[in-house]
């Protein structure tokens, strides 16, 4: 029209004037245009359908899984309004009452799809009653113009806190439904807090006011939902009750308050910290099935009934949320302390020696200003726990996961693992505190060495666990050295006391001298031969009886080597006791391998060690077989180097067989000129194993180990501490008892493998201060926090539902699936503000277990009950009561029934009232159908 007015020609102006004169009779008002806009939007939404609306940007409503809304903006009289269309993606038929995914208006009025039109203002409500009526009229006219649309429309009114709405729905050509809701926030009449009064309130909406409701019968449909919550534990209540108990105690009692026991006092992590119970309480929803009520007396009976009579119980645990990214709660646990230990590893490159971190003259001003050293009393307490309270027998397999050994740390019960765990909780786990504790730790270890005292938490055996970290291996080796020193001291003491003066030369031909045999064993090769000659033992004994005894004395014999005889004297060959090979730590093994690769076997440390072991075996063999020659030793020690030319020695190696001496020859390797083995044989003295110098020099090895511990670089210590601390912390959690939760066991197994992969670079001892491993370690700490949280939750739920295992597993599974995306494994975008709201149905046989969770309120909690609403559960009244009353009328004989668009249906819900109330407020929503 503007373009027409800008035309220059007279004809155009005349035409425009004519059109303007025509428009004067049909010009739409702003009210009509507003209705037209609403109608156009509604027609567009109807045409699009749910699928297209989702593609055009419809959003999910709140925590619902199937309710979406589309939104548009409208203007009328210089005011802006928003109109929202709420719809479901999939129509699943009529929604039953108490659907937890319902919108508040759906629950209040029993509708499925609906419209909300509201002003775009700070309050979002219409405060002017004429304006609200005008908006509803506009929507009603627009909807009637759409013909096929039967969406109810609502307008928010009054104060926002009242959640009040008015609404209208065109149900065809005959019926119209009107909606109204409001609430009372204070001074609720006592009568309306009871079921009888609420029933009469509903009846008053369609009965004459002069009727006595208690005497008239109305068939009203009734259903109810009651919500109970456990009372949070109140410290003041506990203290008051504890004081009361002390006052009532005996006259001789001091009246001291006992420390309050924690829920996790007997959990494996309680030695290190007390975890807050993640289950803060429970919310129980009881649903009463639909029934027909004919009088207010029936309502009074229902109010006095037990919640156990309800049709359905739904339980929701209130779980503490610690991982809200916008407001993260600081928690103390293994994960938090391990993250501090990672920071200490980063700082460990600041100095070359651990003493530099605690020295007053240190130049690390940044360290001294940001990290503190624990007081001596605290360090002394930790050392006492490590060295004086852990001497009992230990089981290193306790709590170990099958994948635990993949992490190169120390067993969780070992001395070094306990040192690492103590370090986590010493002050704020900074590098200076760790350095101080390590220095004092090594001093205690040296004291044990110098005083020949056993190392606590280190079982003494003949093997070293090479799958553990190097510090643990060194402590194992040191424990062996201390034991050797103790044995040597004991033998010296016995000798000076004259307790062992039996002449050693008085021995029979086939016996060896008794003595300590912890470091002695029957040679491996002799054992192999004896295993194959057991069937000839009887013949060997006969041979031994006929054998001419030698005038040379055998020493250190472990018995005959089957039917094998010596080449020179035809005497039976004896197996000697031999010394064990000295134990070696991982670094010694690597040193030997490097020496072999660099210099060859003949000049290496490996060859020297092999020389000592071989010479010891030769000496022991000579002592047990005085008439033996070099070939006899080869036949026993290295059978592969003896080429037999006759029959098997097992059958013909004796004088009785007539085939003596056994025929054969040395292999080419052993028969070469200048053979190394023969030279050793010629130089080896005839000494039994107990007469030889030990292959392990405990004094030398012990001092070497202490030197390693005292000069260990800071970053090398922290690398081993992190591996051990992660493994020991995970092993501690693994000891928790949480029942048969397969997904939790699988998660722990998976986490061990994740830790082993993340911690593997620390074993190479090639870290630098700018290494990328630190970010990986921090991510591992985050994963540890998730696993730790789930483990503690599993333990808490298991304890509460130990008599209802099905319910326990169902609740944990629900939360695990809710929490799983936060672990970063699902690829799904995570809403950290979303709360866990999955309710689990309680079976009939589980209700007593759930009821026991609602501990009766104490006397100091009685103030919480203002007005009793009835239906008490162990003294707990419902925190929320929701009721739906409905009245249905027959419309078959109505004068509009022939035009009724309701089809074959002969009854409609003419009155519906939804009531939600507590002791302090009451909300009422009413919908009424009329045929006006």
């Amino acid at each position: 029209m503007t373009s027409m007015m800008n035309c220059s020609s007279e004809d155009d102006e005349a035409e425009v004037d004519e059109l303007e004169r025509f428009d004067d009779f049909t010009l739409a008002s702003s009210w009509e245009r507003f209705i037209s806009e609403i109608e156009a939007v509604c027609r567009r939404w109807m045409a699009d359908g749910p699928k297209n609306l989702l593609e055009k940007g419809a959003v999910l409503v709140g925590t619902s899984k199937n309710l979406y809304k589309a939104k548009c903006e409208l203007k009328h009289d210089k005011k802006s309004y928003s109109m929202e269309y709420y719809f479901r993606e999939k129509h699943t038929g009529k929604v039953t009452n108490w659907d937890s995914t319902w919108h508040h208006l759906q629950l209040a009025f029993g509708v499925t799809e609906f419209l909300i039109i509201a002003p775009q203002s700070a309050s979002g409500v219409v405060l002017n009653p004429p304006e609200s009526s005008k908006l509803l009229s506009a929507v009603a006219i627009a909807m009637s113009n759409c013909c096929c649309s039967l969406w109810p429309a609502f307008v928010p009114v009054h104060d926002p806190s009242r959640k009040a709405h008015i609404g209208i729905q065109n149900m065809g050509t005959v019926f119209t439904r009107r909606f109204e809701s409001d609430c009372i926030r204070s001074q609720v009449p006592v009568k309306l807090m009871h079921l009888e009064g609420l029933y009469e309130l509903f009846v008053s909406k369609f009965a004459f006011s002069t009727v006595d409701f208690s005497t008239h019968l109305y068939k009203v449909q009734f259903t109810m939902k009651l919500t109970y919550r456990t009372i949070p534990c109140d410290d003041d209540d506990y203290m008051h009750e504890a004081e009361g108990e002390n006052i009532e105690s005996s006259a001789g009692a001091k009246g001291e308050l006992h420390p309050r026991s924690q829920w996790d006092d007997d959990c494996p992590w309680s030695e290190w910290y007390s975890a807050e119970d993640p289950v803060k309480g429970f919310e129980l929803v009881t649903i009463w099935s639909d029934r027909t009520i004919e009088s207010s007396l029936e309502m009074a009976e229902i109010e006095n009934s037990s919640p156990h009579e309800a049709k359905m119980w739904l339980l929701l645990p209130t779980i503490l949320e610690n991982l809200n990214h916008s407001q993260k709660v600081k928690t103390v646990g293994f994960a938090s302390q391990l993250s501090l230990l990672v920071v200490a590893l980063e700082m460990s490159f600041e100095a070359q020696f651990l003493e530099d971190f605690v020295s007053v003259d240190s130049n690390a001003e940044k360290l001294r200003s940001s990290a503190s050293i624990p007081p001596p009393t605290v360090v002394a307490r930790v050392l006492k726990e490590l060295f004086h309270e852990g001497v009992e027998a230990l089981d290193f397999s306790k709590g170990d996961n099958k994948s635990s050994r993949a992490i190169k740390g120390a067993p969780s019960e070992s001395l070094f693992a306990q040192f690492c765990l103590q370090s986590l909780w010493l002050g704020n786990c900074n590098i200076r505190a760790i350095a101080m504790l390590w220095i004092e730790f090594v001093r205690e270890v040296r004291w044990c060495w110098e005083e020949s005292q056993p190392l606590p938490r280190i079982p003494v055996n003949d093997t070293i666990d090479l799958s553990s970290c190097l510090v643990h291996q060194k402590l194992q080796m040191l424990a062996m050295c201390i034991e050797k020193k103790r044995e040597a001291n004991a033998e010296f003491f016995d000798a000076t006391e004259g307790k062992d003066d039996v002449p050693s030369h008085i021995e029979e031909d086939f016996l060896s001298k008794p003595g300590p045999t912890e470091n002695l064993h029957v040679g491996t090769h002799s054992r192999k031969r004896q295993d194959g000659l057991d069937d000839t033992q009887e013949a060997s004994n006969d041979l031994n009886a006929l054998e001419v005894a030698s005038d040379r004395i055998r020493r250190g014999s472990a018995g005959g080597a089957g039917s094998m005889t010596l080449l020179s004297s035809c005497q039976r060959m004896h197996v000697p006791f031999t010394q064990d090979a000295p134990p070696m730590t991982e670094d010694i093994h690597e040193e030997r391998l490097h020496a072999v690769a660099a210099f060859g076997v003949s000049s290496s440390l490996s060859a020297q060690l092999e020389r000592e072991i071989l010479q010891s075996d030769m000496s022991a063999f000579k002592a047990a077989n005085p008439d033996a020659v070099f070939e006899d030793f080869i036949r026993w020690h290295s059978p592969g180097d003896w080429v037999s030319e006759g029959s098997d020695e097992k059958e013909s190696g004796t004088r009785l067989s007539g085939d003596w001496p056994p025929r054969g020859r040395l292999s080419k390797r052993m028969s070469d000129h200048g053979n190394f083995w023969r030279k050793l044989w010629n130089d080896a003295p005839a000494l039994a194993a107990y007469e030889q110098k030990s292959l392990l020099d405990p004094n030398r090895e012990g001092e070497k180990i202490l030197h390693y511990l005292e000069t260990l670089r800071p970053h090398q210590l922290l690398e081993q501490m992190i591996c051990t601390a992660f493994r020991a912390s995970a092993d501690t959690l693994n000891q928790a008892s949480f029942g048969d939760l397969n997904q939790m066991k699988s998660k722990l197994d998976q986490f061990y493998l994740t830790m082993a992969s993340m911690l593997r670079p620390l074993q190479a001892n090639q870290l630098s201060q700018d290494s990328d491993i630190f970010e990986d370690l921090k991510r591992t700490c985050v994963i540890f926090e998730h696993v730790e949280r789930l483990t503690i939750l599993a333990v808490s739920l298991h304890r509460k539902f130990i008599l209802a295992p099905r319910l326990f597993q169902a609740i944990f599974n629900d939360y695990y699936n809710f929490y799983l995306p936060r672990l970063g494994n699902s690829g799904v975008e995570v809403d950290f503000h979303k709360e866990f709201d999955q309710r689990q149905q309680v079976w009939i046989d589980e209700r007593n277990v759930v009821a026991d969770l609602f501990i009766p309120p104490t006397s100091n909690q009685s103030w919480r009950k203002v007005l009793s609403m009835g239906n008490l559960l162990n003294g707990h009244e419902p925190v929320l009561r929701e009721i739906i009353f409905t009245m249905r009328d027959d419309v078959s004989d109505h004068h509009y029934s022939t035009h009724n668009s309701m089809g074959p249906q002969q009854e409609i819900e003419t009155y519906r009232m939804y009531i939600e109330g507590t002791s302090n407020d009451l909300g009422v929503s009413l919908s009424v159908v009329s045929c006006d």
Side-chain angles (χ1 to χ4, degrees):
M1 187 166 144
T2 305
S3 61
M4 294 180 182
M5 295 177 64
N6 293 333
C7 293
S8 58
S9 65
E10 296 180 357
D11 295 338
D12 291 342
E13 290 179 357
E15 183 179 357
V16 169
D17 292 340
E18 183 179 355
L19 290 175
E20 287 181 349
R21 287 194 297 274
F22 175 79
D23 287 340
D24 287 341
F25 295 98
T26 61
L27 184 64
S29 65
S30 61
W31 167 252
E32 292 173 320
R33 287 196 297 270
F34 182 56
I35 295 175
S36 179
E37 289 180 13
I38 295 176
E39 180 182 346
V41 172
C42 292
R43 289 183 182 276
R44 184 170 67 249
W45 283 343
M46 284 188 293
D48 287 339
K51 183 177 180 180
N52 291 331
L53 287 177
L54 291 178
E55 295 177 355
K56 291 182 178 180
V59 297
L60 194 65
V61 178
T63 60
S64 176
K65 299 179 181 179
N66 193 31
L67 183 64
Y68 297 83
K69 71 176 179 179
K71 183 178 180 179
C72 74
E73 295 184 3
L74 304 170
K75 289 187 177 181
H76 173 58
D77 289 344
K78 299 182 180 180
K79 290 186 178 181
S80 297
Y81 297 92
S82 67
M83 188 168 68
E84 298 174 337
Y85 168 47
Y86 290 77
F87 64 95
R88 290 180 176 267
E89 180 183 8
K90 297 179 181 179
H91 294 280
T92 56
K94 183 179 180 180
V95 181
T96 59
N97 292 328
W98 314 125
D99 189 333
S100 60
T101 63
W102 271 29
H103 187 274
H104 176 73
L105 292 179
Q106 290 177 309
L107 181 63
F109 300 113
V111 297
T112 52
E113 299 177 319
F114 59 94
L115 299 172
I116 294 181
I117 184 168
Q120 290 187 332
S121 60
S123 63
V125 298
V126 179
L127 301 178
N128 187 3
E131 182 183 358
S132 61
S133 300
K134 188 175 182 180
L135 285 176
L136 273 185
S137 300
V139 176
I141 296 173
M143 298 299 291
S144 64
N145 293 338
C146 294
C147 297
C148 60
S149 176
L150 301 177
W151 296 336
F154 299 98
V155 175
V157 294
H158 305 309
D159 185 84
S161 63
R162 293 166 60 176
K163 298 181 180 179
H165 289 80
I166 59 174
I168 192 170
Q169 179 185 13
N170 181 9
M171 302 179 66
T173 60
V174 178
F175 298 105
T176 301
R177 175 179 282 133
R178 289 178 172 82
F179 308 94
E180 184 177 1
S181 66
D182 205 345
C183 71
I184 304 174
R185 288 298 180 186
S186 61
Q187 298 180 351
V188 178
V190 176
K191 183 178 181 180
L192 296 182
M193 292 311 302
H194 296 277
L195 296 182
E196 183 178 359
L198 295 174
Y199 169 80
E200 294 178 355
L201 174 65
F202 175 67
V203 173
S204 67
K205 298 302 178 179
F206 56 83
F208 293 105
S209 59
T210 58
V211 174
D212 186 358
F213 301 136
S214 62
T215 60
H216 282 70
L217 302 180
Y218 300 96
K219 293 185 178 181
V220 175
Q221 297 298 316
F222 161 84
T223 181
M224 180 170 64
K225 172 183 174 183
L226 301 179
T227 302
Y228 301 86
R229 292 193 186 99
T230 55
I231 300 176
C233 184
D234 193 336
D235 293 336
D236 293 335
D237 292 341
Y238 170 80
M239 294 299 293
H240 290 317
E241 292 198 0
E243 290 175 359
E245 293 175 0
N246 289 326
I247 294 174
E248 295 175 0
S249 62
S250 60
K254 296 181 179 179
E256 297 179 356
L257 290 177
H258 297 286
R260 185 175 184 178
S261 61
Q262 300 294 329
W263 75 275
D264 62 343
D265 280 346
D266 57 344
C267 290
W269 61 78
S270 62
E271 180 182 356
W272 306 106
Y273 69 96
S274 179
E276 185 175 1
D277 192 346
V279 182
K280 307 306 295 181
F282 292 92
E283 180 178 287
L284 175 65
V285 173
T286 62
I287 297 177
W288 302 72
S289 57
D290 293 341
R291 58 184 297 181
T292 302
I293 304 297
E294 297 185 354
S295 68
S296 57
L297 296 179
E298 291 186 51
M299 299 302 300
E301 293 177 0
I302 294 176
E303 185 170 337
N304 293 326
S305 60
S306 168
H308 286 270
E309 299 180 17
K311 176 183 178 181
M312 182 183 297
W313 280 23
L314 300 173
L315 187 65
L316 171 68
T318 304
I319 298 177
L320 179 66
E321 291 291 339
N322 288 336
L323 295 181
N324 190 324
H325 279 197
S326 63
Q327 188 176 355
K328 187 170 181 178
V329 180
K330 176 64 176 177
T331 59
V332 176
F334 285 126
S336 64
Q337 303 310 112
L338 287 171
S339 63
L340 296 177
L341 190 61
V342 172
V343 175
L345 173 60
E346 291 184 274
M347 302 297 293
S348 65
F349 293 91
E350 298 291 337
Q352 188 174 5
F353 300 103
L354 287 164
E355 288 79 5
D356 295 339
F357 289 106
V358 297
S359 174
V360 178
D361 299 331
S362 174
N363 294 325
E365 296 291 340
K366 178 181 177 181
L367 291 175
R368 290 204 302 272
S369 61
S370 61
S372 59
I373 296 179
T377 55
V378 175
V379 176
R381 176 187 56 79
V382 172
L383 294 175
K384 181 180 179 182
E385 293 181 4
L386 287 174
F387 286 90
H388 302 288
E389 298 180 2
V391 189
E392 69 278 359
L394 299 174
D395 181 11
F396 280 0
S397 63
K398 179 183 178 183
D400 282 353
N401 185 279
K402 61 183 180 181
S403 304
S404 177
R405 295 180 67 85
I407 303 173
K408 198 173 181 62
S412 57
E413 295 297 324
S414 65
L415 180 59
F416 183 62
Q418 292 297 306
F419 166 84
C420 295
L421 291 177
Q422 291 282 3
S423 299
L424 293 179
W425 306 99
L426 185 65
N428 57 350
C429 190
N430 63 76
I431 183 62
R432 300 189 70 205
I434 293 172
M436 169 65 77
L437 183 60
W438 175 255
I439 293 171
E440 297 300 325
F441 174 83
V442 175
R443 287 176 182 172
E444 287 290 329
V445 171
R446 176 169 284 280
W447 180 89
C448 292
W449 163 251
E450 293 176 348
E451 299 297 327
S452 299
Q453 295 298 316
L455 283 179
R457 301 181 182 272
I458 301 290
V460 179
N461 49 45
D462 296 331
T463 59
I464 292 179
D465 184 8
L466 296 180
S467 66
S468 62
C469 64
L470 188 56
V471 170
H472 179 67
Q473 296 179 37
K474 294 291 185 182
L475 292 176
Q476 280 187 304
M477 186 78 167
L478 185 61
M480 297 180 192
C481 295
I482 292 175
E483 185 64 22
K484 297 294 183 184
K485 284 182 61 177
R486 290 169 61 87
E487 292 175 1
N489 294 339
E491 290 179 1
F492 176 78
F493 179 77
D494 291 342
T496 57
E497 292 293 328
K499 294 182 180 180
D500 189 14
D501 52 0
V502 180
S504 61
H505 63 279
I506 305 177
E507 293 186 78
E508 297 185 7
D509 181 44
F510 55 91
L511 294 178
S512 62
K513 175 183 176 182
T517 60
E518 287 81 356
N519 62 333
L520 307 180
H521 71 274
V522 180
T524 304
H525 305 284
S526 65
R527 287 198 298 271
K528 292 180 180 178
R529 283 187 170 274
Q530 284 180 320
D531 292 341
L533 297 177
D534 288 342
D535 55 348
T536 62
Q537 189 64 42
E538 184 176 353
S540 175
N541 292 337
D542 294 340
L543 174 64
N544 187 51
L546 297 174
E547 181 181 345
V548 178
S550 172
D551 57 353
R552 304 179 68 180
I553 300 175
R554 298 179 186 273
R555 303 186 311 280
S557 171
S563 61
M564 294 181 65
T565 57
L566 300 176
L567 295 174
S568 60
S569 63
C570 194
Q571 293 184 13
R572 186 177 60 163
M573 182 184 295
H574 280 236
V575 178
F577 283 107
T578 58
Q579 292 194 64
D580 288 329
M584 290 181 291
T585 56
E586 183 181 21
D587 58 336
I588 302 300
H589 277 286
E590 293 179 356
E591 186 179 349
R592 289 182 61 195
L593 293 176
H594 293 161
V596 169
F599 304 106
V601 176
S602 60
S603 59
S604 68
L605 175 65
S606 174
Q608 177 63 28
L609 182 59
E610 295 296 337
R611 174 193 179 100
E612 293 176 356
I613 296 175
L614 185 58
Q615 191 169 30
S616 172
D617 290 347
M618 290 178 174
S619 296
F621 187 82
K622 281 186 175 182
N625 301 279
D627 297 329
V629 294
F630 176 65
E631 287 77 2
D632 291 322
F633 177 75
I634 295 299
R635 290 163 59 209
W636 166 71
H637 193 278
S638 181
D641 287 309
W642 175 258
V643 182
S644 179
E645 297 178 350
S647 58
D648 194 343
E649 290 188 39
K650 296 179 182 179
E651 301 176 357
S652 59
T654 68
R655 181 186 303 174
L656 293 179
S657 67
D659 191 17
W660 180 86
R663 289 173 300 191
R665 56 184 173 80
L666 293 174
S667 66
K668 184 179 184 303
R669 182 172 75 98
M670 290 297 174
S671 58
D672 287 345
H673 179 71
N675 180 266
F676 174 70
W677 282 45
R678 185 179 290 276
K679 184 178 185 303
L680 281 182
W681 173 264
N682 295 334
D683 295 339
L687 294 175
Y690 58 81
E691 299 173 328
Q692 299 174 15
K693 179 183 178 181
S694 175
L695 293 176
L696 174 65
D697 185 347
N699 293 313
R700 181 184 62 186
E701 294 298 329
E703 288 297 334
K704 287 171 61 177
I705 292 171
L706 287 169
H707 176 73
Y708 167 82
L709 298 177
E710 291 170 343
T711 59
L712 189 61
R713 295 295 177 87
H715 70 92
Q716 294 175 343
L717 172 64
L718 267 296
E719 290 169 9
Q720 299 182 62
M721 285 184 64
I722 285 181
C723 292
T724 300
F726 267 97
R727 173 178 169 176
S729 300
D731 286 344
T732 302
L733 293 179
N734 191 54
Q735 299 174 29
S737 175
F738 45 71
D740 190 18
L741 287 177
N742 293 328
Q743 73 272 50
M744 197 63 228
K745 294 177 182 178
S746 300
K747 178 57 65 177
L748 284 171
D749 292 341
Q750 179 185 355
F751 181 57
Y752 273 105
L753 298 178
T754 301
M755 285 193 299
S757 176
M758 292 292 191
L759 298 175
R760 191 169 292 115
L762 297 179
Q763 304 171 17
N765 196 19
Q766 297 178 351
L767 288 188
S768 60
Q769 195 168 8
D770 56 350
S771 175
D772 296 334
I773 186 63
F774 299 112
E775 292 301 321
D776 293 337
L777 292 176
K778 292 175 182 178
R779 284 194 293 270
T780 307
C781 291
V782 174
I783 299 175
F784 199 114
E785 184 177 1
H786 294 312
V787 175
E788 186 175 18
R789 174 181 171 80
L790 288 174
T791 302
I792 295 175
L793 175 63
V795 172
S796 177
L797 289 174
H798 180 252
R799 294 186 170 205
K800 294 174 175 61
F801 296 100
I802 194 169
L803 298 179
R806 185 216 62 91
L807 185 58
F808 155 62
Q809 293 195 12
I811 292 176
F812 184 82
N813 289 344
D814 289 340
Y815 187 82
Y816 184 84
N817 294 330
F818 162 79
Y819 193 81
L820 191 61
R822 303 188 181 205
L823 301 181
N825 300 330
S826 63
V828 180
E829 185 177 354
V830 182
D831 181 8
F832 289 95
H833 298 274
K834 184 178 179 181
E835 296 182 356
F836 177 68
D837 59 355
Q838 184 67 39
R839 290 178 170 84
Q840 185 60 230
Q841 184 173 353
V842 181
W843 292 359
I844 295 294
D845 58 347
E846 298 167 338
R847 291 191 177 185
N848 288 332
V849 176
V850 173
D852 290 340
L853 298 173
F854 291 80
I855 302 173
T858 64
S859 57
N860 290 304
Q861 294 168 336
S862 61
W863 62 270
R864 302 177 189 270
K865 295 190 300 181
V866 179
L867 293 174
S868 176
M869 298 167 61
N871 303 115
L872 299 182
L873 176 63
N874 288 351
H876 293 260
E877 67 177 15
V879 296
L880 178 63
R881 181 172 59 193
E882 299 171 82
I883 301 172
I884 296 178
F885 292 111
T886 58
M887 171 68 77
R888 307 185 70 86
D889 286 335
D890 188 358
V891 297
S892 58
D893 57 349
H894 198 277
H895 68 282
Y896 286 115
S897 60
T898 56
H899 304 287
N900 184 17
S901 63
M902 306 293 289
Q905 183 180 3
Q906 299 300 313
E907 278 191 349
I908 63 172
E909 189 179 80
T910 53
Y911 290 87
R912 185 183 193 277
M913 179 180 287
Y914 167 76
I915 301 171
E916 57 175 340
T918 67
S919 300
N920 301 317
D921 56 43
L922 180 69
V924 178
S925 301
L926 178 65
S927 63
V928 179
V929 176
S930 62
C931 56
D932 46 29

